[in-house]
Amino acid sequence: MMSRNQNRTTDRHIIWSDMNLNPDDWRDSYKDFLEINEIDGNPNDEHGLYEYMVETNGEYLSDERENLNVQLAQPIIVIGDIGRWNGRVMGYKMIDSGNIKDCLYSDTDMTEWYVDRYGDLRADAVHHDGTNHYLYRVFKDTASPEQIERLQEKIYYGKATRADITRVTKRLGDEIAAVYGFHIPKQRTAMEQAR
């Protein structure tokens, strides 16, 4: 079981992961599951343990979607650093619903969603060609359609900088930290950043 407090590194708050699941961490809860549900099963059955671990961890993802049912006023943009068989490319996807829970979907083999030390929601997603790295940001209320289109174009052509991204979007970590009760550093204002 992956806890939000079990950080592999000190600079991330893990929301959910199916990377590096260890059956030994699930062994006791599997035995309890068999006993509570009065299932005649071998608590030492590795295949049964593995199925239980994957299925239960998947149910936890549904729980996290419920926890993060936070509606924002603007759409969310997912900026991807995509690992392909022929190299890395940038790309983006829009989450028009503007709901944070809709960020927690993936069609890759394994995924880990986390809030980094800067308050950004990110994901690492492993698939057969490599690993994708995603950054999730919500558009600022002041972002014009032209600014949004310009950012999308820069991402498409692989020219977007951090400054381009932060000019028209803001981080999601503040809303997520409010749900789970962890601390992330306050964002610096534009004046503080200019110093």
Side-chain angles (χ1 to χ4, degrees):
M1 169 170 37
M2 180 59 68
S3 162
R4 284 180 292 284
N5 299 323
Q6 286 179 312
N7 299 335
R8 237 179 265 129
T9 60
T10 57
D11 63 347
R12 61 175 60 185
H13 295 277
I14 297 172
I15 306 301
W16 183 88
S17 178
D18 61 355
M19 291 188 187
N20 303 309
L21 293 177
N22 183 346
D24 290 334
D25 295 338
W26 295 79
R27 199 168 302 281
D28 288 341
S29 64
Y30 177 57
K31 289 176 184 176
D32 292 344
F33 168 77
L34 292 175
E35 187 176 307
I36 290 169
N37 293 294
E38 299 177 357
I39 297 172
D40 286 335
N42 180 355
N44 298 315
D45 172 23
E46 292 298 316
H47 180 71
L49 170 62
Y50 181 81
E51 285 183 348
Y52 167 80
M53 175 182 73
V54 170
E55 185 176 319
T56 304
N57 195 54
E59 291 170 5
Y60 292 158
L61 178 55
S62 297
D63 293 343
E64 299 310 338
R65 288 183 186 126
E66 286 297 317
N67 292 339
L68 292 176
N69 186 6
V70 177
Q71 185 61 53
L72 304 173
Q74 298 295 328
I76 296 168
I77 186 168
V78 185
I79 303 167
D81 174 9
I82 311 299
R84 296 177 15 174
W85 66 271
N86 60 347
R88 302 201 70 79
V89 296
M90 283 188 79
Y92 73 89
K93 175 183 173 183
M94 298 297 295
I95 300 177
D96 293 323
S97 70
N99 196 306
I100 295 175
K101 73 177 181 180
D102 295 331
C103 297
L104 302 183
Y105 287 91
S106 177
D107 59 0
T108 56
D109 299 329
M110 292 181 291
T111 307
E112 178 169 284
W113 284 278
Y114 60 94
V115 175
D116 70 11
R117 64 183 170 176
Y118 302 109
D120 279 318
L121 176 61
R122 295 184 174 272
D124 297 328
V126 177
H127 55 92
H128 67 279
D129 285 331
T131 303
N132 299 344
H133 303 286
Y134 301 123
L135 168 64
Y136 301 81
R137 303 275 297 189
V138 63
F139 285 103
K140 294 178 180 176
D141 292 337
T142 57
S144 70
E146 294 79 17
Q147 288 175 310
I148 292 170
E149 187 175 327
R150 199 168 25 247
L151 175 61
Q152 291 170 329
E153 195 171 286
K154 285 184 175 186
I155 293 167
Y156 180 79
Y157 288 108
K159 306 275 187 206
T161 65
R162 180 73 182 180
D164 294 325
I165 295 166
T166 59
R167 188 172 300 118
V168 294
T169 67
K170 61 183 182 176
R171 68 188 189 178
L172 296 172
D174 300 291
E175 287 83 3
I176 296 169
V179 169
Y180 294 119
F182 60 78
H183 173 76
I184 53 175
K186 181 182 171 205
Q187 275 188 304
R188 296 184 326 180
T189 65
M191 189 175 286
E192 290 172 329
Q193 290 174 355
R195 288 183 195 161

